[in-house]
């Protein structure tokens, strides 16, 4: 659910609940008003009756049969009311109701005491003997006898019950009329107003957010690559998006946020341009340095080889030949390092493009295995190409779009690295299999393996495992061969994984996108 919809739904529900609350409040107020008006009318009625007929008990004792008709005549013009004569304990002595009450029936005296109390009450709810519930509006007045007695207690009470109305047709129609026009119009007005308010607030709040989102999405989609942007334009963001960003520049929080994002994008562009220039200078410097150092190193290596050949049969020069051998070996290592630095700088160039062709990568494995066979034999290591032993792979031919020269260089680097550490008697196995959507090329060896702490850093540039490399001789390389392998695989859209168990061996897997036949 979007932010706009959430805000609109929240405001709409708030308006709807407000309308429901208004209706509930009106109904409650209507009921309370009805109870209060009923109570005050009943209390005034009893006041008139007691004033006009103060001798109620005397009349009831003299004329018990006629007294009931007398009471009924009093409430003849008071609909939905019943009048009761109670003694001091709440026992019903006479009533105007049609329901015959059992002998000794009593009503609760608590509401009666509230009704006759000195403190005025809004209304009093008490017993309704005729309907046997305690939810009727009642009024009461104490009655006195004309005979003077020693005690001052009232001998009884005149008790009036206003029945709880079930809204007869007239009052129901009045209530319906009340809500059919003013209340209904008010509710619809509240809902409509809340809806319009929701639309306005949603648009006012989310429009700046939408503009900011568009700008950020443009940077996320296009990045900061547009070096040729016009002055004042943030790279990766279109002028229309910037105009939208400027439109958000108000004095509220959204305006401050948009100005902060614009300043941040401008800073990022400046920093990105600086980084690009520095990176280009670094790559160009490394490439030029590699090119410039290659020739003197080659000449130095040639001179050292010439001296070594001249002193080959001279026993007096044995110590000198050992120094020449160390110097020649280190010169070759330096030449390979310079070559690797140049190659890596070239692979890092953004403009570098692969010359890919679709082929069976197992053919490359056969060529690489054949190239290293003689060197492996001198070290007592066996190289096996599983591709040559499996002419009909069960999952199909491992075909992939590769730059033949570069990918062969990657496999050769892995084999060369394995030969550096494999002891005599070990074996190196090359394999290529086709899986669902991928081609997995593996180089496995039975060498000493790699420590678990070193595995995550193997493909970092200039990283060397201190447990396997001999720094004095430099035979272990300088940590660029595997970095070149990773970069070549990434250029092909693949990934590299390493599995190694110390004392058992290492397996490097290159996963490439599979090319359909």
């Amino acid at each position: 659910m979007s932010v706009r919809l959430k805000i609109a739904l929240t405001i709409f529900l708030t308006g709807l609940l407000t309308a429901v609350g208004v209706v509930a409040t009106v109904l409650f107020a209507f009921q309370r008003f009805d109870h209060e008006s009923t109570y005050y009318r009943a209390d005034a009625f009893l006041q008139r009756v007691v004033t006009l007929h103060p001798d109620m008990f005397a009349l009831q004792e003299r004329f018990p049969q006629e007294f009931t008709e007398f009471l009924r005549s009093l409430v003849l013009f008071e609909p939905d009311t019943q009048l009761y004569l109670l003694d001091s304990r709440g026992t019903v002595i006479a009533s105007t109701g049609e329901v015959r009450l059992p002998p000794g029936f009593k009503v609760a005296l608590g509401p009666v005491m509230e009704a006759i109390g000195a403190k005025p009450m809004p209304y009093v709810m008490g017993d309704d003997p005729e309907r046997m519930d305690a939810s009727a509006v009642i009024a009461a007045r104490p009655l006195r006898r004309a005979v003077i007695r020693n005690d001052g207690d009232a001998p009884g009470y005149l008790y009036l019950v206003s029945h709880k109305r079930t809204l007869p047709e007239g009052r129901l129609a009045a209530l319906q009329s009340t809500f059919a026009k003013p209340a209904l119009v008010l509710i619809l007005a509240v809902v409509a107003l809340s809806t319009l308010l929701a639309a306005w607030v949603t648009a006012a709040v989310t429009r700046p957010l939408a503009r900011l989102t568009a700008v950020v999405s443009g940077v996320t989609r296009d990045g900061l690559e547009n070096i040729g942007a016009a002055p004042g334009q943030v790279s990766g963001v279109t002028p229309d998006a910037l105009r939208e960003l400027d439109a958000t520049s108000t004095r509220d929080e959204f305006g401050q946020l948009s100005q902060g994002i614009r300043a941040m994008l401008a800073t990022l562009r400046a920093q990105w341009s600086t980084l690009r220039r520095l990176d280009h200078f670094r790559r160009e410097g490394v490439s030029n340095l590699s090119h410039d150092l290659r020739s003197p190193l080659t000449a130095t290596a040639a001179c050292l080889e010439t001296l070594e050949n001249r002193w080959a049969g001279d026993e007096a020069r044995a110590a000198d030949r050992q120094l020449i051998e160390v110097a020649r070996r280190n010169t070759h290592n330096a030449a390979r390092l310079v070559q690797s630095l140049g190659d890596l700088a070239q692979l890092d160039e953004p403009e570098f493009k692969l010359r890919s062709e679709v082929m069976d990568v197992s053919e490359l494995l056969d060529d690489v295995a054949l190239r290293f066979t003689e060197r492996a034999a001198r070290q007592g290591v066996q190289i096996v190409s599983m591709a040559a032993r499996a002419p009909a792979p069960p999952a199909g031919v491992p075909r992939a779009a590769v730059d033949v020269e570069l990918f062969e260089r990657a496999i050769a680097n892995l084999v060369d690295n394995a030969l550096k550490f494999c002891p005599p008697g070990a074996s190196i196995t090359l394999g290529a299999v086709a899986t669902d959507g991928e081609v997995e090329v593996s180089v496995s060896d039975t060498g000493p393996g790699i420590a678990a702490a070193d595995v995550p850093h193997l493909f970092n540039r200039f990283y060397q495992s201190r447990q396997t490399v001999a720094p004095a001789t430099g035979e272990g390389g300088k940590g660029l061969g595997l970095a070149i392998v990773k970069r070549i695989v990434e250029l092909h859209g693949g990934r590299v994984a390493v599995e190694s168990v110390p004392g058992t061996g290492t397996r490097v897997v290159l996963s490439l996108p599979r090319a359909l036949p």
Side-chain angles (χ1 to χ4, degrees):
M1 183 181 294
S2 63
V3 176
R4 287 188 174 186
L5 185 58
K6 288 180 181 178
I7 296 176
L9 185 60
T10 300
I11 299 177
F12 176 78
L13 290 179
T14 302
L16 184 61
L17 292 177
T18 302
V20 173
V22 169
V23 173
T25 303
V26 170
L27 290 177
F28 176 77
F30 180 83
Q31 184 183 35
R32 184 179 178 86
F33 173 78
D34 184 62
H35 286 169
E36 291 182 1
S37 61
T38 300
Y39 173 75
Y40 286 118
R41 186 177 67 251
D43 186 70
F45 170 75
L46 287 183
Q47 179 67 31
R48 291 195 303 270
V49 171
V50 171
T51 301
L52 294 176
H53 305 283
D55 53 349
M56 285 285 185
F57 276 102
L59 290 176
Q60 194 273 335
E61 291 173 355
R62 292 179 184 178
F63 311 102
Q65 298 297 330
E66 292 82 359
F67 185 77
T68 300
E69 295 300 328
F70 169 70
L71 290 180
R72 289 177 178 173
S73 68
L74 292 177
V75 297
L76 183 63
F77 297 103
E78 292 291 334
D80 296 324
T81 60
Q82 297 296 340
L83 192 60
Y84 299 88
L85 182 64
L86 309 179
D87 63 9
S88 59
R89 293 176 297 178
T91 304
V92 177
I93 298 175
S95 71
T96 61
E98 299 294 336
V99 178
R100 192 174 188 84
L101 300 177
F105 184 87
K106 295 182 179 181
V107 299
L109 287 179
V112 175
M113 295 296 105
E114 291 182 6
I116 67 176
K119 184 178 180 180
M121 304 292 293
Y123 61 91
V124 179
M125 305 295 291
D127 290 344
D128 185 354
E130 187 173 87
R131 299 185 181 179
M132 302 302 291
D133 60 26
S135 59
V137 177
I138 63 101
R141 285 285 175 175
L143 298 176
R144 304 289 180 180
R145 290 183 181 273
V147 180
I148 300 176
R149 295 180 180 272
N150 294 328
D151 56 358
D153 295 336
Y157 309 96
L158 194 60
Y159 185 75
L160 183 66
V161 175
S162 297
H163 289 155
K164 185 178 180 181
R165 292 176 174 84
T166 56
L167 287 181
E169 294 184 1
R171 295 180 64 84
L172 180 62
L175 182 62
Q176 290 177 346
S177 176
T178 300
F179 279 99
K181 294 181 180 179
L184 184 59
V185 171
L186 177 62
I187 293 173
L188 293 178
V190 169
V191 174
L193 181 62
S194 64
T195 302
L196 294 176
L197 182 63
W200 179 77
V201 171
T202 301
V205 172
T206 59
R207 186 181 297 111
L209 291 178
R211 293 168 178 166
L212 295 176
T213 302
V215 173
V216 175
S217 299
V219 175
T220 304
R221 181 183 62 254
D222 302 329
L224 299 173
E225 300 291 340
N226 189 8
I227 301 300
Q233 178 183 342
V234 181
S235 53
V237 183
T238 62
D240 293 338
L242 285 179
R243 283 192 291 270
E244 291 290 329
L245 191 61
D246 291 335
T248 315
S249 301
T250 57
R251 293 185 178 182
D252 57 8
E253 289 80 359
F254 290 111
Q256 297 174 5
L257 179 61
S258 64
Q259 290 297 326
I261 291 179
R262 184 178 181 87
M264 181 185 66
L265 292 177
T267 303
L268 287 176
R269 180 186 179 235
Q271 294 178 346
W272 178 253
S273 300
T274 303
L275 286 176
R276 285 184 61 89
R277 288 195 301 270
L278 292 176
D279 186 62
H280 178 72
F281 175 76
R282 176 190 61 81
R283 288 195 302 268
E284 186 178 8
V286 171
S287 180
N288 293 337
L289 182 63
S290 173
H291 183 269
D292 293 341
L293 290 177
R294 199 173 305 169
S295 297
L297 287 174
T298 301
T300 302
C303 293
L304 292 174
E305 290 176 358
T306 301
L307 288 176
E308 187 178 19
N309 292 332
R310 287 181 180 179
W311 297 340
D314 191 351
E315 294 297 333
R317 295 283 187 174
D320 295 335
R321 287 202 309 272
Q322 293 179 357
L323 294 176
I324 291 297
E325 183 181 358
V326 173
R328 180 179 56 82
R329 186 170 61 247
N330 282 278
T331 302
H332 282 298
N333 289 338
R336 287 196 298 268
L337 176 61
V338 169
Q339 177 68 32
S340 298
L341 285 172
D343 294 341
L344 199 54
Q346 183 180 6
L347 294 175
D348 283 340
E349 286 289 343
E351 296 80 11
F352 182 82
K353 301 297 182 181
L354 297 176
R355 296 190 295 270
S356 302
E357 58 179 286
V358 177
M359 64 174 302
D360 182 359
V361 295
S362 58
E363 298 177 1
L364 293 178
L365 303 185
D366 297 337
D367 295 341
V368 173
L370 184 61
R371 185 199 308 178
F372 286 92
T373 299
E374 183 179 353
R375 174 183 167 186
R378 290 198 305 266
Q379 297 182 208
V381 178
Q382 181 183 12
I383 293 185
V384 180
S385 175
M386 298 302 296
R389 296 187 176 186
V397 178
R399 297 172 60 85
V402 296
D403 186 311
V404 178
E405 182 180 354
L406 283 181
F407 195 72
E408 187 174 356
R409 168 85 178 274
I411 302 298
N413 281 2
L414 292 177
V415 175
D416 178 73
N417 192 71
L419 283 173
K420 289 176 182 178
F421 304 110
C422 281
S427 63
I428 300 175
T429 304
L430 310 181
V433 294
T435 61
D436 294 338
E438 286 187 335
V439 172
E440 293 185 353
V441 181
S442 61
V443 177
S444 308
D445 64 67
T446 58
I450 304 171
D454 294 326
V455 171
H457 309 287
L458 285 179
F459 295 95
N460 294 348
R461 300 182 183 186
F462 300 105
Y463 179 81
Q464 293 175 284
S465 173
R466 294 295 95 191
Q467 299 179 2
T468 56
V469 176
T473 62
E475 291 295 339
K478 295 301 177 184
L480 289 178
L482 293 181
I484 292 176
V485 172
K486 181 181 180 182
R487 181 58 182 161
I488 291 175
V489 175
E490 289 176 346
L491 289 173
H492 284 81
R495 63 184 187 278
V496 184
V498 180
E499 303 170 2
S500 183
V501 178
T504 302
T506 303
R507 182 171 183 263
V508 181
V509 179
L510 311 181
S511 300
L512 303 177
R514 184 179 180 182
L516 298 178

Tab-separated table of all heavy atoms in Angstrom, residues 94-112:
chain	number	residue	atom	x	y	z
A	94	ALA	N	-52.428	1.049	46.049
A	94	ALA	CA	-53.377	1.247	44.952
A	94	ALA	C	-52.582	1.636	43.720
A	94	ALA	O	-51.499	2.219	43.809
A	94	ALA	CB	-54.403	2.312	45.303
A	95	SER	N	-53.109	1.313	42.517
A	95	SER	CA	-52.434	1.637	41.270
A	95	SER	C	-53.432	1.850	40.177
A	95	SER	O	-54.596	1.426	40.276
A	95	SER	CB	-51.469	0.511	40.878
A	95	SER	OG	-52.180	-0.636	40.472
A	96	THR	N	-52.999	2.497	39.103
A	96	THR	CA	-53.871	2.763	37.950
A	96	THR	C	-53.646	1.754	36.835
A	96	THR	O	-54.282	1.850	35.785
A	96	THR	CB	-53.599	4.171	37.419
A	96	THR	OG1	-52.222	4.249	37.004
A	96	THR	CG2	-53.857	5.218	38.482
A	97	GLY	N	-52.727	0.806	37.024
A	97	GLY	CA	-52.396	-0.129	35.967
A	97	GLY	C	-53.431	-1.213	35.787
A	97	GLY	O	-54.219	-1.525	36.702
A	98	GLU	N	-53.448	-1.808	34.618
A	98	GLU	CA	-54.343	-2.917	34.323
A	98	GLU	C	-53.799	-4.242	34.837
A	98	GLU	O	-54.540	-5.210	35.005
A	98	GLU	CB	-54.578	-3.007	32.809
A	98	GLU	CG	-55.216	-1.770	32.195
A	98	GLU	CD	-56.657	-1.560	32.704
A	98	GLU	OE1	-57.287	-2.556	33.131
A	98	GLU	OE2	-57.115	-0.416	32.675
A	99	VAL	N	-52.498	-4.294	35.074
A	99	VAL	CA	-51.873	-5.524	35.543
A	99	VAL	C	-52.174	-5.681	37.027
A	99	VAL	O	-51.984	-4.748	37.822
A	99	VAL	CB	-50.358	-5.500	35.304
A	99	VAL	CG1	-49.712	-6.773	35.849
A	99	VAL	CG2	-50.079	-5.345	33.813
A	100	ARG	N	-52.645	-6.853	37.420
A	100	ARG	CA	-52.974	-7.122	38.820
A	100	ARG	C	-51.689	-7.542	39.543
A	100	ARG	O	-51.098	-8.579	39.245
A	100	ARG	CB	-54.025	-8.226	38.912
A	100	ARG	CG	-54.631	-8.352	40.304
A	100	ARG	CD	-55.762	-9.374	40.279
A	100	ARG	NE	-56.479	-9.383	41.530
A	100	ARG	CZ	-57.471	-8.551	41.860
A	100	ARG	NH1	-57.867	-7.652	40.957
A	100	ARG	NH2	-58.089	-8.615	43.027
A	101	LEU	N	-51.271	-6.742	40.490
A	101	LEU	CA	-50.045	-7.015	41.223
A	101	LEU	C	-50.319	-7.979	42.361
A	101	LEU	O	-51.417	-7.977	42.967
A	101	LEU	CB	-49.457	-5.711	41.782
A	101	LEU	CG	-49.088	-4.646	40.737
A	101	LEU	CD1	-48.593	-3.374	41.449
A	101	LEU	CD2	-48.024	-5.165	39.792
A	102	PRO	N	-49.375	-8.837	42.696
A	102	PRO	CA	-49.572	-9.759	43.828
A	102	PRO	C	-49.664	-8.978	45.138
A	102	PRO	O	-49.113	-7.878	45.262
A	102	PRO	CB	-48.325	-10.640	43.782
A	102	PRO	CG	-47.314	-9.838	43.055
A	102	PRO	CD	-48.069	-9.009	42.070
A	103	PRO	N	-50.355	-9.540	46.128
A	103	PRO	CA	-50.472	-8.841	47.420
A	103	PRO	C	-49.098	-8.608	48.042
A	103	PRO	O	-48.225	-9.464	47.996
A	103	PRO	CB	-51.312	-9.812	48.276
A	103	PRO	CG	-52.048	-10.651	47.283
A	103	PRO	CD	-51.144	-10.801	46.110
A	104	GLY	N	-48.913	-7.436	48.598
A	104	GLY	CA	-47.653	-7.092	49.257
A	104	GLY	C	-46.528	-6.750	48.303
A	104	GLY	O	-45.350	-6.726	48.720
A	105	PHE	N	-46.806	-6.470	47.035
A	105	PHE	CA	-45.754	-6.122	46.054
A	105	PHE	C	-45.101	-4.805	46.457
A	105	PHE	O	-45.787	-3.828	46.779
A	105	PHE	CB	-46.363	-6.019	44.660
A	105	PHE	CG	-45.338	-5.756	43.589
A	105	PHE	CD1	-44.673	-6.799	42.997
A	105	PHE	CD2	-45.032	-4.444	43.206
A	105	PHE	CE1	-43.738	-6.547	42.003
A	105	PHE	CE2	-44.091	-4.200	42.234
A	105	PHE	CZ	-43.441	-5.265	41.630
A	106	LYS	N	-43.788	-4.783	46.427
A	106	LYS	CA	-43.036	-3.607	46.837
A	106	LYS	C	-42.158	-3.111	45.691
A	106	LYS	O	-41.716	-3.902	44.853
A	106	LYS	CB	-42.155	-3.920	48.040
A	106	LYS	CG	-42.928	-4.269	49.303
A	106	LYS	CD	-41.944	-4.521	50.453
A	106	LYS	CE	-42.711	-4.848	51.738
A	106	LYS	NZ	-41.792	-5.062	52.879
A	107	VAL	N	-41.911	-1.829	45.691
A	107	VAL	CA	-40.964	-1.221	44.770
A	107	VAL	C	-39.744	-0.783	45.581
A	107	VAL	O	-39.830	-0.581	46.803
A	107	VAL	CB	-41.571	-0.023	44.023
A	107	VAL	CG1	-42.759	-0.457	43.191
A	107	VAL	CG2	-41.976	1.072	44.998
A	108	ALA	N	-38.594	-0.652	44.893
A	108	ALA	CA	-37.372	-0.230	45.573
A	108	ALA	C	-37.519	1.203	46.062
A	108	ALA	O	-37.939	2.089	45.304
A	108	ALA	CB	-36.175	-0.358	44.644
A	109	LEU	N	-37.151	1.424	47.334
A	109	LEU	CA	-37.296	2.754	47.912
A	109	LEU	C	-36.105	3.664	47.607
A	109	LEU	O	-36.192	4.878	47.821
A	109	LEU	CB	-37.455	2.634	49.434
A	109	LEU	CG	-38.811	2.106	49.916
A	109	LEU	CD1	-38.827	2.024	51.436
A	109	LEU	CD2	-39.947	3.002	49.434
A	110	GLY	N	-34.985	3.091	47.133
A	110	GLY	CA	-33.828	3.932	46.837
A	110	GLY	C	-34.131	5.014	45.822
A	110	GLY	O	-33.892	6.213	46.080
A	111	PRO	N	-34.654	4.679	44.616
A	111	PRO	CA	-35.011	5.728	43.659
A	111	PRO	C	-36.063	6.688	44.199
A	111	PRO	O	-36.062	7.878	43.847
A	111	PRO	CB	-35.537	4.935	42.454
A	111	PRO	CG	-34.900	3.597	42.579
A	111	PRO	CD	-34.796	3.331	44.046
A	112	VAL	N	-36.979	6.169	45.066
A	112	VAL	CA	-38.009	7.050	45.636
A	112	VAL	C	-37.360	8.123	46.504
A	112	VAL	O	-37.717	9.309	46.440
A	112	VAL	CB	-39.020	6.208	46.453
A	112	VAL	CG1	-40.038	7.125	47.147
A	112	VAL	CG2	-39.749	5.227	45.536
